[in-house]
Amino acid sequence: MPHYVAIVEDTGSDKAIGLWFPDLPGCFSAGDTVDEAMLNASEAVSLYAESLAKEGKRLPAPRSVATLRHDPDVAADLRDHVVALVAYRAGTAHAAE
């Protein structure tokens, strides 16, 4: 089961916690707490995969944290924010419904 690196941005108590995936452009999750954002993250990846599948595309392969550290577009975010690994479980996009 692939795991995608997620960047967790906590901008303070008056805003939602944001979570995004460097390898999945436009895929994000949010919540009132880090735990809530993390709970929503797997579903976000599954919905993203469904959207790509409808276009005849597949999820890109996830990169490791070590590889992402060498990506100038991501390196500062890895340094400045919490990093999490989110598992992609095929077929779980609507499990919460």
Side-chain angles (χ1 to χ4, degrees), residues 6-79:
I7 307 293
V8 183
E9 295 187 31
D10 185 349
T11 57
S13 60
D14 59 334
K15 295 186 180 184
I17 307 297
L19 183 150
W20 58 277
F21 302 88
D23 291 326
L24 307 174
C27 183
F28 62 91
S29 175
D32 291 329
T33 65
V34 171
D35 290 338
E36 191 176 295
M38 289 299 300
L39 285 171
N40 295 333
S42 283
E43 183 176 12
V45 174
S46 294
L47 290 169
Y48 188 85
E50 274 186 15
S51 177
L52 288 178
K54 288 178 184 175
E55 297 173 9
K57 299 177 184 175
R58 300 182 73 166
L59 280 173
R63 293 181 286 171
S64 68
V65 173
T67 300
L68 288 168
R69 282 190 180 131
H70 297 289
D71 181 338
D73 293 330
V74 182
D77 290 314
L78 289 173
R79 216 176 24 253

